């Protein structure tokens, strides 16, 4: 079959296998052409390693530190009804290229929230890593978490807290500027979002690994977060997402005490705003991102996932004697985003932007290009007229 991009609003309904492979290869080549990660980890567990920061971390550490990896992800496999998710192909091709480089790459498919998957991972650590890991990366992006009672779930809600907030979404399906208002979350919705996206499951993973004696001496763990400028706070930091991220930050402190028993540490890592499958949903964030991209690209400070992760591991987590953190003990990878002059220019651009000029004033083309890339489309070197045998991947 010939696979073309299918977008429903801001949701991709198709993924291209060869494009996903090319996207993985592009990140591999970037790492190979860059400075290696000094004293990097050799046995890494990535919880949520099929896309975004998780996948970029896996690539950076495999090809920049010669690390072996185990990754957990919950991806949709291809079937007669559809192509499956991009993360499925990312896993498939990453493993192929890692093995060619002589590295161990184990893909475990399943719900990272479940006890069964935690048990499966501990067994894999025993089998492939001689029972210990040096680094645990928590990068789960899910909107749903099962409760202990069968058939019951917590569901996250991207909403403000206290009062409604209006914002703009850029509909990638038809390149439209769409204004909407989000009603304030109930306390129940805020708590459910914390349960899904906060630090509780991260801590459950670390506890399970400690109990199974799977942490090596000096082991570290990180989880990814976002804060953003004041401009985005009403919908992000001051909303349900922010409450979950604050919980994540607090969890890093309690985990740090536990990791100290192994001469290691736990850190929440605050990243730069990027186009992800999640960020395109958040009203008000898309105009900010296209303005930010425009300014940072002109200043030469823009970073994608792979550039940011390689800088994280080579200059912060492993490149210095002590891990550099701010006053709240956060690793700040958003330092270039929050540069005062950058934010001043971004704020000015957004004040001038509207439904008639956003494509000209902001970097909308770069925004859409990155979204298509996430799903294996719009990549140089890929022949999109190729007839893809989906049966091969189904098998």
């Amino acid at each position: 079959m010939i696979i073309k991009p299918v977008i429903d609003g801001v949701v991709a309904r198709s993924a291209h296998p060869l494009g996903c492979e090319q996207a993985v290869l592009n990140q591999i080549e970037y790492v190979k052409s860059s400075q290696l990660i000094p004293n990097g980890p050799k046995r890494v567990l990535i919880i949520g390693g099929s896309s975004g920061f998780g996948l970029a971390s896996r690539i950076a550490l495999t090809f920049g530190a010669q690390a072996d990896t185990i990754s957990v992800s919950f991806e949709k496999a291809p079937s007669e009804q559809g192509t499956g998710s991009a993360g499925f192909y990312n896993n498939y091709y990453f493993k192929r290229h890692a093995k060619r480089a002589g590295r161990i790459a184990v893909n475990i498919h399943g719900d990272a929230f479940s006890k069964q998957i935690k048990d499966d991972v501990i067994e894999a650590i025993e089998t492939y890593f001689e029972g210990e890991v040096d680094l645990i990366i928590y990068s789960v992006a899910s909107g749903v978490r099962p409760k202990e009672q069968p058939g019951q779930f917590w569901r996250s809600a991207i909403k403000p807290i206290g009062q409604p907030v209006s914002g703009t979404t850029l509909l990638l399906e038809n390149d439209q500027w769409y204004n909407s208002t989000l009603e304030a979350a109930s306390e129940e919705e805020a708590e459910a979002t914390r349960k899904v996206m906060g630090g509780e499951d991260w801590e459950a993973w670390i506890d399970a690994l400690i109990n199974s004696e799977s942490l090596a001496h000096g082991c570290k763990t990180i989880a990814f977060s976002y804060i953003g400028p004041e401009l985005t706070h009403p919908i992000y930091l001051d909303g349900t997402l922010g409450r979950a991220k604050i919980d994540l930050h607090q969890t890093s402190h309690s985990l740090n005490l536990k990791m100290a028993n192994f001469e290691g540490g736990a850190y929440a890592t605050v990243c730069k705003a990027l186009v992800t499958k999640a960020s395109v949903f958040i009203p008000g964030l898309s105009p900010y991102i296209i303005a930010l991209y425009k300014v940072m690209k002109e200043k030469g400070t823009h970073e994608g996932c792979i550039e940011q992760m390689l800088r994280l591991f080579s200059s912060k987590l492993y490149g210095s004697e002590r891990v550099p953190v701010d006053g709240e003990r956060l690793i700040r990878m958003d330092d270039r985003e929050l540069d005062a002059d950058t934010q001043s220019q971004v704020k000015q651009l957004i004040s001038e932007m509207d439904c008639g000029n956003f494509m000209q004033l902001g970097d909308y083309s770069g925004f859409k290009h990155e979204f298509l890339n996430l799903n294996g489309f719009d990549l140089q070197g890929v022949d999109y007229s190729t007839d893809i045998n989906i049966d091969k991947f189904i098998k």
Side-chain angles (χ1 to χ4, degrees):
M1 64 186 295
I2 305 298
I3 303 175
K4 296 183 178 180
V6 178
I7 303 174
D8 182 7
V10 292
V11 179
R13 300 295 186 189
S14 61
H16 200 288
L18 301 184
C20 290
E21 179 180 27
Q22 188 60 54
V24 167
L25 283 171
N26 289 349
Q27 293 184 73
I28 290 172
E29 288 308 311
Y30 174 79
V31 174
K32 285 182 174 179
S33 66
S34 304
Q35 182 180 354
L36 295 179
I37 299 166
N39 304 312
K42 300 304 179 187
R43 299 161 297 182
V44 181
L45 168 61
I46 304 162
I47 306 157
S50 59
S51 62
F53 289 124
L55 176 63
S57 296
R58 198 177 190 191
I59 292 170
L61 292 165
T62 297
F63 294 92
Q66 289 73 54
D68 296 324
T69 60
I70 296 171
S71 171
V72 177
S73 61
F74 202 14
E75 295 293 341
K76 186 177 181 181
S79 68
E80 294 178 358
Q81 285 72 46
T83 61
S85 62
F88 174 89
Y89 300 108
N90 292 340
N91 285 338
Y92 178 89
Y93 284 111
F94 171 82
K95 181 170 183 174
R96 171 181 286 188
H97 291 290
K99 286 179 71 176
R100 286 178 179 173
R103 303 264 57 92
I104 295 170
V106 179
N107 294 331
I108 295 178
H109 298 274
D111 186 354
F113 293 119
S114 75
K115 181 181 183 302
Q116 181 59 56
I117 290 298
K118 291 178 175 68
D119 290 342
D120 291 347
V121 166
I122 289 166
E123 184 178 337
I125 291 170
E126 189 67 35
T127 302
Y128 297 99
F129 288 174
E130 298 180 340
E132 292 183 334
V133 289
D134 306 317
L135 173 66
I136 302 114
I137 298 169
Y138 190 84
S139 182
V140 174
S142 174
V144 180
R145 178 183 174 187
K147 296 183 179 180
E148 290 184 4
Q149 304 90 333
Q152 295 188 33
F153 302 89
W154 287 292
R155 299 183 186 277
S156 63
I158 301 174
K159 289 186 175 183
I161 292 176
Q163 59 186 11
V165 169
S166 297
T168 299
T169 301
L170 302 180
L171 298 181
L172 292 148
E173 177 183 5
N174 51 15
D175 304 324
Q176 294 295 308
W177 175 283
Y178 176 73
N179 292 317
S180 61
T181 299
L182 287 178
E183 296 301 320
S186 66
E187 187 57 37
E188 183 180 2
E189 288 175 317
E191 175 60 13
T193 306
R194 185 192 69 80
K195 283 284 189 179
V196 176
M197 306 178 77
E200 199 168 87
D201 187 57
W202 181 23
E203 187 156 23
W205 271 98
I206 299 304
D207 287 344
L209 293 166
I210 289 173
N211 290 337
S212 63
E213 300 182 347
S214 299
L215 301 189
H217 180 81
C219 182
K220 297 174 183 176
T221 183
I222 60 170
F224 299 118
S225 185
Y226 183 69
I227 293 176
E230 188 175 344
L231 193 68
T232 66
H233 286 182
I235 188 57
Y236 203 102
L237 188 64
D238 297 336
T240 55
L241 287 171
R243 182 175 291 191
K245 295 306 181 184
I246 289 169
D247 183 75
L248 189 80
H249 301 171
Q250 291 172 341
T251 300
S252 74
H253 303 321
S254 61
L255 287 182
N256 195 55
L257 296 175
K258 296 179 181 181
M259 301 299 285
N261 294 323
F262 304 88
E263 301 295 327
Y267 307 92
T269 302
V270 182
C271 297
K272 165 185 177 288
L274 288 173
V275 179
T276 67
K277 293 177 183 179
S279 68
V280 295
F281 274 95
I282 305 171
L285 197 59
S286 296
Y288 170 74
I289 289 176
I290 66 172
L292 181 71
Y293 275 31
K294 182 70 173 279
V295 173
M296 293 190 75
K297 286 180 179 179
E298 288 177 352
K299 293 171 77 74
T301 57
H302 175 71
E303 291 175 312
C305 282
I306 192 63
E307 292 87 358
Q308 207 166 160
M309 292 302 96
L310 191 58
R311 181 162 70 95
L312 167 65
F313 296 123
S314 62
S315 68
K316 304 223 180 236
L317 206 60
Y318 294 101
S320 56
E321 191 172 325
R322 289 188 177 182
V323 177
V325 294
D326 68 4
E328 297 180 27
R329 227 183 50 78
L330 303 170
I331 299 176
R332 301 304 293 259
M333 299 304 297
D334 60 346
D335 47 352
R336 297 174 183 179
E337 173 185 355
L338 297 184
D339 167 74
D341 182 61
T342 295
Q343 285 301 315
S344 175
Q345 292 187 48
V346 168
K347 193 173 182 179
Q348 180 62 35
L349 263 182
I350 291 177
S351 71
E352 299 170 2
M353 210 179 285
D354 58 35
C355 62
N357 64 17
F358 72 93
M359 290 191 192
Q360 291 74 40
L361 292 185
D363 183 26
Y364 180 73
S365 61
F367 177 87
K368 189 164 186 177
H369 170 73
E370 284 198 10
F371 179 81
L372 290 168
N373 282 183
L374 289 174
N375 300 288
F377 296 103
D378 203 25
L379 286 136
Q380 289 187 351
V382 179
D383 182 359
Y384 289 103
S385 65
T386 300
D387 189 3
I388 302 296
N389 180 9
I390 287 294
D391 287 341
K392 163 189 166 184
F393 296 101
I394 294 174
K395 291 174 183 176

